[in-house]
Amino acid sequence: MNKIKIIKNTEKYVKNKMLGDSAGHDWWHVYRVWKVAVHIGKQEKANMFVVELGALLHDIADFKFNNGDETAGSRVSREWLEEQKVDEAIIKHVCDIVENVSFKGAKVKSKMKTTEGMVVQDADRLDAIGAIGIARTFAYGGAKELEMYNPEIRAVRHKSFEEYKNTRGTSINHFYEKLLLLKDLIIMVGKSWTRNLVQ
Ligand code: ADP
Ligand code: NI
């Protein structure tokens, strides 16, 4: 297994599939998540092969663009990684990351269990906040023809993924339903830094 070659091939594959998307899930989102994940992953001494593959494939077939099918991403990832002759244990780990990376509702706990998964998830969440996060939200809202603002539609703290994925709320509500909650969900960023401080 030539890891460098596999990462290069995966970069090309994902870039080719996602370049040009205008709904906030484009190649350059993936590129930023990849680079930030590498930065965090090194500090956390994570398995970097898993981190890089997880970051590159994390939005390859997002449920929001696949009729709510939350297994589409891991299925496409598995097919690709098998083709690349990646070891089964690594495939399982990467597919677990792809399946669990997404936010699934304010009151739904993430099932991400591994350091590598949390690293990718944090990198993805960092790209969902700040100026880029705001821009992506309105790009997504436009692509999905969501109303930008409507004071008659209240923001909801979704209790289940079913509820969250079927919502047609406004883009402004998305800030209250997800984006403003993310800062308290980011786990790994600063962990090593704090650990160094304590020691
Ligand atoms: P994550 O992988 O962090 O869970 P998502 O793939 O769910 O992120 O969403 C990525 C971005 O797409 C969000 O951060 C937001 O900018 C935009 N987005 C997703 N759902 C909505 C929505 N219902 N309304 C507006 N923007 C949305
Ligand atoms: Ni993403």
Side-chain angles (χ1 to χ4, degrees):
M1 207 171 46
N2 181 339
K3 293 184 183 172
I4 294 173
K5 187 94 201 301
I6 293 170
I7 298 285
K8 265 268 154 245
N9 288 349
T10 307
E11 175 188 356
K12 266 196 230 143
Y13 167 69
V14 176
K15 186 172 182 179
N16 188 39
K17 262 193 122 165
M18 303 186 79
L19 201 64
D21 169 282
S22 57
H25 288 73
D26 55 302
W27 160 250
W28 296 108
H29 158 64
V30 174
Y31 179 85
R32 290 189 298 272
V33 171
W34 177 28
K35 297 299 164 185
V36 171
V38 166
H39 182 79
I40 306 169
K42 278 187 188 154
Q43 299 197 36
E44 296 304 328
K45 300 190 174 34
N47 177 332
M48 294 310 293
F49 188 48
V50 172
V51 166
E52 292 200 63
L53 290 177
L56 281 166
L57 291 164
H58 87 276
D59 271 339
I60 197 71
D62 191 287
F63 71 85
K64 290 186 289 311
F65 305 95
N66 286 276
N67 299 319
D69 179 1
E70 60 189 299
T71 62
S74 61
R75 231 181 14 253
V76 174
S77 300
R78 170 169 284 282
E79 263 168 42
W80 168 253
L81 296 172
E82 281 178 356
E83 214 176 282
Q84 295 299 304
K85 310 260 182 296
V86 173
D87 294 347
E88 176 57 26
I90 306 263
I91 297 184
K92 272 213 181 89
H93 195 164
V94 173
C95 288
D96 179 74
I97 293 176
V98 175
E99 200 158 318
N100 290 302
V101 70
S102 263
F103 182 84
K104 294 195 165 74
K107 294 189 176 166
V108 184
K109 210 169 169 299
S110 169
K111 290 190 189 132
M112 200 67 95
K113 292 282 181 299
T114 66
T115 296
E116 289 72 17
M118 290 176 198
V119 165
V120 174
Q121 197 169 43
D122 278 3
D124 194 26
R125 285 167 171 172
L126 284 171
D127 208 56
I129 61 179
I132 293 267
I134 295 169
R136 291 179 67 214
T137 301
F138 292 109
Y140 180 95
K144 290 273 182 180
E145 299 185 349
L146 300 177
E147 273 185 276
M148 192 176 95
Y149 172 65
N150 182 340
E152 285 169 13
I153 302 176
R154 309 277 303 183
V156 183
R157 299 266 158 135
H158 298 104
K159 286 198 239 18
S160 71
F161 178 49
E162 242 359 78
E163 234 182 81
Y164 177 72
K165 77 179 177 189
N166 291 321
T167 190
R168 291 277 307 165
T170 67
S171 294
I172 293 287
N173 281 359
H174 192 61
F175 286 81
Y176 299 95
E177 292 171 352
K178 173 185 170 188
L179 305 185
L180 293 168
L181 311 175
L182 290 180
K183 69 172 183 15
D184 294 326
L185 297 174
I186 289 169
I187 301 167
M188 304 310 276
V189 180
K191 207 172 149 205
S192 312
W193 182 80
T194 323
R195 203 159 45 223
N196 293 341
L197 206 70
V198 173
Q199 277 164 2

